[in-house]
Amino acid sequence: MARTIIPFGPQHPVLPEPLHLKLVCEDEIVKEAIPALGYVHRGLEKLAEIRDFNQMIQVVERVCGICSMLHSQCYCQGIEEMMGVEIPERAKYLRTVWSELHRMHSHLLWLGLFADAFGFESLFMQFWRIRERIMDLNEATAGSRVIVSVNVVGGVRQDLTPEQCSWILTEVAQAGKEIKAIQSTMLSDYTVCKRTKGVAALTKEQAYELGAAGPTLRASGVAQDMRQLKYAAFDKIDFEPVVEYDGDCYARGVVRFREALQSIDIIRAAISGMPQGDISVPVKGNPEGEIITRVEQPRGECMYYMKGNGTKFLERVRIRTPTFANVPPLIAFMPGLELADVPVAVLSIDPCISCTER
Amino acid sequence: MLKMTPTVLKNLFSKSSTRMYPFEVREPFPLYRGELFNDIDKCIFCKKCEIKCPSQCITVSKDKEAGTGTWICDPFACVYCSICVDVCPTKSLSMAPNHRKPSATRDMIEQVGKLKVPKKKKAAPKKD
Amino acid sequence: MLKKFIDNSRAKSPWIMHFDCGSCNGCDIEVLACLTPMYDVERFGVVNVGNPKHADVLLVTGTVNPRNAKVLRNIYDQMPDPKGVIAIGACGLSGGIFRECYNVLGGIDKVIPVDIYVPGCPAKPEAIIDGVVAALAKFEGLKG
Amino acid sequence: METLILMILGIVVAPVLGGLVSGIDRRVTARLQSRFGPPILQPFYDVAKLFGKVKVINNFWQVFCAWVYLIAAALSVGLLFAQSDLLLIFFVQAIGAVFLVMGGLASPSPFSQIGAQRELIQVLTYEPLIILVFASIFMVTGSFRIDEILNYDQPLLAKLPLMFIVLGYALTIKLRKSPFDFSTSHHAHQEIVKGVLTDYSGPYLGIIEIAHWYETIFILGICALFWHTSLVGVVVLLATTYFAEILIDNTMARMTWRWMLKYVWSVGLAMSFVNLIWLHAG
Amino acid sequence: MLPMMLALVILLPLMAALGCYFLRVSTIRTMIVLGTGVCIAATSLALFGQGSFTYSPGTILGISWDSLVTLADFALLFVILYYAFKLKNQLIKVFAVLQIIPLAVFELFFVDHAAEVPAFYADSLSLIMVAIISIIGSLICFFAIPYMKTHEEHLHLVKSRQPRFFFYLVLFLGAMNGLVLSNNILWLYFFFEVTTFCSFMLIAHDDTEIAVKNATRALWMNSLGGVAFVFGMIWAYSVTGSLSIQAILEAGPMDGAMLVPLGLLCLAGFTKAAQIPFQSWLLGAMVAPTPVSALLHSSTMVKAGVYIVLRLAPAYAGTFLSEGIALCGAFTFLACAAIAVSQSNGKKILAYSTISNLGLIICCAGINTTWAITAAIILIIFHAASKALLFLCVGTIEHGIGSRDIEDMRGLYLKMPRTAIITIVGILTMVLPPFGVLLGKWMAIESASGDLFVIVMLSLGSAISLVFWARWAGMLLTGPLREKVPAESQNILTRFTLTVLAAATVVVSLFSPVIYTGLIEPMVGKTYEITGGVFSSPIGVFAVYPIFIILAAAFIYAWIDTKKSGNIQNGASYMCGANVKEPGVQSFIGPMNVPVEIKASNYYLEAFFGEEKLTMWVNFVGLALIVLMLGGAL
Amino acid sequence: MIENMKEITLDAVVGEASKMKSDGQRLVALSCTQLDADNFDIIYTFDKELVLTNFRVTVPKGSDCPSISGIYFAALLVENEIQDQFGIMFNGLVLDFGRTLYLDEEITTIPMCNNTKAMTVKK
Ligand code: SF4
Ligand code: SF4
Ligand code: SF4
Ligand code: SF4
Ligand code: SF4
Ligand code: SF4
Ligand code: SF4
Ligand code: SF4
């Protein structure tokens, strides 16, 4: 039959990151999709051999800029557990605040990119405009817009003043209002629904079996969220995992949309429940033993496996990131899509190649 | 359809949210981790920053004979984490709240200062 | 007169293309942020074209590895002259914190000539705008 | 003689107007997105810049096709100003459309190829609608000749309101605006990069850009026929129509061409039938 | 003079055909074909000098020509019956018998043999047809000479079957000329049957299973047309009492009883012109060698069907039948254009497009205003030229690359630049102004504009046909072009015919205003004002010369600039940066670092326009429309 | 410190994985570490309702490991990654990148396996 072979990426305007897909299409229906990775692979896990466990914090923060905060949090939690350090309560709450700010900005960023993937430029612009509020919060409270670098083993580096706290509250509330203003567009506009509903759907069983993580999994009806593991302040803050049941791109969008709003509530709860006290404890010695820790990144479950040998250099840092888990579902649902839906479908798992490849 | 209309019309009739950088520059946030400065007079060339820097972009060397110390930082490799600032015992390092300007060439930041140790030694006998 | 208009227009219409050469996304999202309402680089005539054949300025973020180096080279070669390259972020300038990784060759200038270096990790949108403005100076210098 | 002068006038003025319209379009779009936006003259800078770039091609037929596209577009505008036959003008601009497609197909890049195929589907979608619009104008005025149509004493809009909407569909497709920007898009992020224009660059892209300006004016000229009786009417109609286009562009996602083909044909044909039957009955 | 000329255009081909058959030497055959071609082409032009005429040949050797024709007619019908038995096809048997018996009864008991019926009548329409048949037909025959040689080499035939082939090919020219010149409806019927038979024999020429099968299908469908013809003829005679077509026409627009025979005759025309639902025989006919497709199945024989419908147009003007014919034609135009989109076989695309264009002409006949008839005649002329050219191009390409699939023609310019350019010229003359086909289409659309259903179908159809033409033209150019491509070598006759036809399609388009004033206007009456090469009427203007001049200038300018591009930088095409960097290699580095060659294909939109998907529905609607048309006539 | 860990042998990998699958466990990760110059250690991690189950195998250098990508499609990426980074080959991968998932031929050593030259790239 009349086949067209398309090199989709590595450099392609709809791909925020280099990733290659060899697409074989017939009348623009994808018949076969084979990915190629490795354009972002740096091999940073091996840096553990030449950077001590403290310096590694800055390295893992740069596994990916978008959820850098959660990478270092996951890493620090692991080291703290290995070394038996109990961090102050206030530090837990602070980590929660910044991690939820991260989730918000990441989801807003994604919602924008998603809108862009189906060619809705003005919606993209609106989401990114709202997101700037969060970026300002990051910059003002932590010192950098993107890579906040607040985590250290034993706690956090920055504290929040009461004024900053109330400012955060007003800003996120305002952001929430603005998000709600475009809710009807994102969730019920005819063209948006037409482009996302029923596209690249995964059933609950498929999603689970293919090892999907995070919003991709929750959009297929599996209520699993690593925050249920009650790390940081989540033992005190209640929340319900956001679940949708259709498993298509639309459902994935809704999950993230609702999570962005949910984060506002969590931030509010964290700030109101934040105890006074130290923000870090001094740490002595070196990590030893093996540990697996998990946190919920905006894109889903992130897992760190670490092995210490009593020196300041860790023997192994192994990072399993959410996108890594979401690539197999992506490969699985590609055939049968329309070419125009490829960006939408690829974006729907919120691909982060940089952390997939590290 | 056209669910977006109120939002875009509102945008049309209100002021654009664009910050007119570089024509108007915002007041910087004081905590921002921008350009790194070394107050070389305060630096004791203890190498603490060199050791702790996660990006390994600082080189501190002492020239005993000349009585000078050199503090070199590669601004193109620095990741602006401010670990060095945190660990510096004399607080000679600081970060300005504005970003470093782009440049067309790769220049190292090289600062040469007097070694303080001899100074101390000199001062000590005086007291003695 | 026409020629002068063309010369003047160069600096007024820099179409950019952004290539993520293995960045951690930190710098990428800042590049994107430049296009959004808060920073809106279209004020300077900047259009994000996403196709090297239409681009005047290449913004590159991230570290170079053997695989993406070939892509980077290709894209650069496909841009018609006159063209400029802006490297963004510590990674793009030198490899940044990843300089010593086994799959990192170093900064962008290992592969293609770079006109402007924008430091930062990530570089702020303001810094990127400064970088673009600095690159325009190069086009302004180009007469005829 | 008068015809000739009008024609030349059209060919000279149209790109200037088209460029301005495009500049205003970009500015208004930016404002709708809460951005500051580029200068109004930006399109002219862009094209001038393109002409200052090195010429790169990968198939010399691209050059040929680009030129024919431009000339056909200019000629159709010239004929429009010269008040020629609507159908003839339409067929002349179809020359441009065909050569744009051929230029796209000349490059082996898959994106260019796909873009050309999509462009064809767009042509397939809007062409019948435009012919129907012209036929409906004929049914009202009894002629395809613009000079005769201008003698008709009522605004056509009053008799052909639905046909104007049908023309609006064609307009959106032709201007390559959301939700119909498939073959190439003004927005950077499309699955097929720049579609038909992917492998055009530098001066040749500039040529095509100018041809787009002509096409904009061509389409607006057709719209103007719907309220030819008053100058104010024309201005109001055009301004409203174009603003509506920008608004639609900014309030809709890009759809898929399969959807377009089904939707535009069925809605367009249905509206045409309703309007024309109403015309017959009334 | 006139008898001589008539003999030249009708009998000379017969003689030449016999010569080809019996003198089995290829050089002699070549000479005969060339000579005949030149003769009849010249004669056909000379006939224009004659203008309209009526003529009866009287007797030969004491036997009237009428009786000879009748005899030959029965002989032919029995031959067909013989083939029906040989092929064991019940349908053909039935249809043959259904023709023989009524015809015998008719001849024996009804016809008043004493009545004087002029055998020949010619007006501009006939003369134009004769010119098309004689000039284009001859060119195709020339083309066939080298073509059949290669063709037989391809098939590795031991014994050449060319004598038989050229026998039918050349014979056909005479029959066709006879058909368009006949005034006596019995004569018309006879020639009609000869073309059917020639077509049958030529489709079956290669004697493969599929060829025989498709030939059989062609025969039964055309025989069905023959049956309709016979009954229509008898019925018409019983109403008007005359065998003369002119007499029937002169009776003026009719109604009531006369509409049915007219409807039946038109039905015969429909089968011959392969209108839906009879299109399948013409598609099947594409198995025949390409000159056959070019001659019989696109530019001339199928026009016989159209000719009959058009010839009878004045008789049913303003009736329901007329409206029905317009709808049928418009529907065929739309449906076949749509199906053509889903085709990748070049000859099939041409076949569908042919049927589609015939539909358009028939639609014009049905619209039946003077404007529409003008459009129909313009379309006949230019469609014949362009389509013949395109068929010959496909034949040449097929010999060059061994495939007739348009997907395989991608980048043909790199291999056969000359043929590629001529093909593109052919395609452009089909779809773009100011060329003749488009002029015809423009007239058709303008004259159909009052009719809602027809105009909708025409506008959809013309948009659809642009799709398959434009992409075909474009894909011939695909490829990375770095240097000038040297022209391929071609047989002199091939090159001659292609060049002449290509030049003719362009140049004749330029003379369309002249053709109009000289030929069409006298026949159908004044419809357009011509000033400075501009067609104008109160409803429209079509500026042939100005557009021609401007476009010619544009093409020349564009070509000069293109030539200059020789020294500009060549780039690799965009492949997302993954290009394999070797000159001339069109591949990208795919997964696992394996180079992947890029490949692009057309969209065939099977889901919308699939042949299998549409054919059944289309046939159903087509049949319904015909029933409606005939039923309405009753 | 790692919950529900058990050690298994190399040939039991596929069986264990199928058991996990029938138990409704979701594959989370495979984590490979170089134990010493001659041995690697792979930990297979599964999750069910937030509880992790792990098993670990020791793979001697030079021996191949059975792929579980037939059972868990999701394993294909990580198994290819381990091929790239540690040079352990997996038998029966559903989509085998043959050590080109991340690396080009310019990288001639097996990165995470100190000082070992890469074998020729499997085609
Ligand atoms: S889709 Fe988004 S990330 Fe990708 S190029 Fe466009 S704006 Fe950038
Ligand atoms: S999941 Fe994506 S955004 Fe988050 S850390 Fe990984 S790469 Fe970054
Ligand atoms: S760039 Fe140089 S001067 Fe600036 S902070 Fe980094 S090291 Fe210091
Ligand atoms: S840590 Fe401070 S004092 Fe020590 S060398 Fe660095 S800058 Fe100087
Ligand atoms: S800011 Fe961080 S990276 Fe930069 S010199 Fe200091 S410690 Fe090193
Ligand atoms: S410079 Fe920093 S933020 Fe930018 S890509 Fe590199 S690590 Fe990420
Ligand atoms: S391809 Fe042409 S030459 Fe060959 S056998 Fe068929 S018709 Fe004859
Ligand atoms: S087509 Fe060519 S290869 Fe095939 S039989 Fe004929 S000569 Fe031989």
Side-chain angles (χ1 to χ4, degrees), chain B residues 2 6-7 31 35 45-46 53 55 59 62 67 69 84 87 91 94 99 109 112 116:
Chain B
L2 302 180
T7 312
L31 275 180
E35 261 182 287
F45 306 99
C46 67
C53 171
S55 182
T59 329
K62 289 189 242 185
C84 52
V87 298
K91 296 276 160 273
S94 65
H99 62 267
I109 300 186
V112 184
K116 275 105 199 158

Side-chain angles (χ1 to χ4, degrees), chain E residues 413-468:
Chain E
Y413 186 82
L414 297 172
K415 292 174 216 134
M416 307 171 76
R418 192 196 303 272
T419 318
I421 294 300
I422 290 185
T423 311
I424 290 172
V425 169
I427 289 173
L428 295 185
T429 55
M430 284 296 298
V431 288
L432 293 186
F435 297 112
V437 176
L438 205 97
L439 174 67
K441 207 181 253 180
W442 170 79
M443 291 174 170
I445 292 180
E446 298 221 331
S447 52
S449 284
D451 190 328
L452 188 52
F453 290 96
V454 173
I455 187 69
V456 167
M457 290 199 263
L458 292 194
S459 48
L460 291 177
S462 74
I464 291 175
S465 49
L466 199 63
V467 171
F468 58 83

Side-chain angles (χ1 to χ4, degrees), chain A residues 129-137 171 174-175 178:
Chain A
R129 186 170 69 134
I130 301 168
R131 175 177 168 271
E132 284 296 321
R133 290 186 188 279
I134 316 293
M135 305 315 282
D136 280 352
L137 290 179
E171 282 291 295
Q174 186 57 31
E178 289 174 13

Side-chain angles (χ1 to χ4, degrees), chain E residues 150 153-156 399 402:
Chain E
T150 328
E153 277 164 18
H154 280 208
L155 297 179
H156 306 293
H399 277 173

Side-chain angles (χ1 to χ4, degrees), chain E residues 98-99 102-103 106 189 225-235 265:
Chain E
L98 271 180
Q99 289 176 75
L103 193 64
F106 182 55
Y189 171 70
V227 174
F229 200 113
V230 169
F231 281 98
M233 178 167 72
I234 298 174
W235 196 325
L265 289 174

Side-chain angles (χ1 to χ4, degrees), chain E residues 18-40:
Chain E
L18 291 171
C20 288
Y21 194 73
F22 291 110
L23 304 174
R24 298 182 164 251
V25 183
S26 81
T27 23
I28 300 184
R29 188 167 56 233
T30 306
M31 297 318 293
I32 294 178
V33 172
L34 288 177
T36 316
V38 172
C39 266
I40 61 172

